[in-house]
């Protein structure tokens, strides 16, 4: 039988390395368990099962495009029987999960929020210097959301002055919103199935704690 082998450091009395051998069957079990597919209904049923799944995976990437349905809903429906789309919105409204960008945007258990703080600090440190106009626009965006509450990108006027060159060529106000989100000065949540709102962290946490 073919054996897959990989090495892990194990400190011993002789300070040596020891090998850990896995059979294909053992490796398969580990992978299926990590993916939440080890057995049917591993996480139970209902909204609570969706939370347990996200908590188990640690991160569920959000798919903004779809033909039949968005990919993150397929992922959950394959693991939670009779899954309902609105359960994700409800979990966000209850403050049990939040949305943030790592290598992509996704849902993360709220108890892992602290781990997003160094990522946000890193985005701020690596950001290119802003022009006075960009800094002023970001202040205006923060001020408006602070006064009016959660807003969507489309609530801001179309301030584009040049023709869009593609998907990632955002207009200035959209770019300001996304920069503020990556830096942790704004948080996002979704409701009405997939409408994305942005708000100040203070308002976000007041909203879920009340």
């Amino acid at each position: 039988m073919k054996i897959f082998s990989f090495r892990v450091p194990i400190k011993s009395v002789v300070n040596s390395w020891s090998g850990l051998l896995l059979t294909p069957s053992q490796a398969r079990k580990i992978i299926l368990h990590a993916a939440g597919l080890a057995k049917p209904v591993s996480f139970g049923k209902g909204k609570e099962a969706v939370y347990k799944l996200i908590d188990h995976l640690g991160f569920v990437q959000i798919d903004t495009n779809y033909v039949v349905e968005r990919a993150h809903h397929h992922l959950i429906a394959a693991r939670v029987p009779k899954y309902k789309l609105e359960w994700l919105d409800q979990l966000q409204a209850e403050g049990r999960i939040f949305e943030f960008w790592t290598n992509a945007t996704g849902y993360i258990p709220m108890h892992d929020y602290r781990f997003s703080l160094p990522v946000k600090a890193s985005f701020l440190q690596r950001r290119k210097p802003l022009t006075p106009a960009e800094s002023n626009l970001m202040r205006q965006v923060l001020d408006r959301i602070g006064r009016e509450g959660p807003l969507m990108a489309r609530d801001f006027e179309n301030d584009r002055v040049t023709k869009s060159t593609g998907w990632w060529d955002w207009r200035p106000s959209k770019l300001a919103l996304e920069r503020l989100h990556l830096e942790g000065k704004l948080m996002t949540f979704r409701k009405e199935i997939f409408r994305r709102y942005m708000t100040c962290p203070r308002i976000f946490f007041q909203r879920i704690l009340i």
Side-chain angles (χ1 to χ4, degrees):
M1 179 184 294
K2 184 178 180 181
I3 301 291
F4 292 114
S5 174
F6 62 91
R7 294 191 174 276
V8 294
I10 301 177
K11 192 172 183 180
S12 66
V13 291
V14 293
N15 196 28
S16 63
W17 288 70
S18 177
L20 175 64
L21 299 178
L22 294 177
T23 66
S25 177
Q26 290 171 329
R28 188 180 304 111
K29 287 180 180 179
I30 291 172
I31 292 170
L32 289 175
H33 172 75
L37 293 168
K39 60 181 180 179
V41 200
S42 295
F43 306 96
K45 299 179 180 180
K47 182 177 65 177
E48 186 64 24
V50 176
Y51 173 76
K52 289 179 179 178
L53 170 62
I54 296 173
D55 187 42
H56 174 82
L57 297 176
F59 180 89
V60 172
Q61 182 175 334
I62 295 172
D63 183 15
T64 56
N65 299 305
Y66 73 103
V67 177
V68 177
E69 188 49 84
R70 304 182 196 279
H72 56 276
H73 292 309
H74 288 289
L75 180 151
I76 299 172
R79 294 160 174 81
V80 177
K82 298 182 180 179
Y83 165 64
K84 295 182 180 180
L85 306 186
E86 59 266 26
W87 288 343
L88 276 176
D89 291 349
Q90 292 170 10
L91 287 171
Q92 274 200 299
E94 295 167 4
R96 303 181 70 190
I97 60 175
F98 72 103
E99 178 182 333
F100 190 59
W101 178 282
T102 54
N103 65 311
T105 191
Y107 295 113
I108 305 172
M110 183 57 77
H111 61 71
D112 286 339
Y113 176 79
R114 63 193 184 280
F115 298 122
S116 73
L117 300 179
V119 180
K120 295 169 182 176
S122 176
F123 278 123
L124 182 58
Q125 292 171 0
R126 292 184 288 113
R127 185 188 68 189
K128 294 180 180 179
L130 301 178
T131 66
E134 289 174 325
S135 296
N136 185 52
L137 179 57
M138 290 172 70
R139 285 193 295 269
Q140 291 177 5
V141 168
L142 275 178
D143 180 66
R144 181 178 172 189
I145 291 178
R147 287 184 287 106
E148 299 181 22
L151 295 172
M152 295 185 290
R154 69 183 186 184
D155 292 322
F156 293 83
E157 64 178 319
N158 187 351
D159 49 0
R160 181 181 295 282
V161 294
T162 58
K163 185 178 179 180
S164 174
T165 58
W167 180 267
W168 295 105
D169 184 17
W170 293 330
R171 54 193 172 89
S173 57
K174 166 68 172 174
L175 183 57
L177 285 165
E178 296 300 336
R179 281 173 171 163
L180 290 165
H181 176 227
L182 290 178
E183 294 171 9
K185 296 174 183 175
L186 288 179
M187 293 189 69
T188 66
F189 64 94
R190 298 178 189 265
K191 63 180 183 178
E192 298 157 354
I193 303 303
F194 208 66
R195 291 186 176 180
R196 183 172 181 244
Y197 290 80
M198 291 198 173
T199 189
C200 301
R202 172 182 56 81
I203 298 174
F204 179 87
F205 286 110
Q206 283 178 345
R207 172 176 160 269
I208 65 177
L209 290 174
I210 294 176

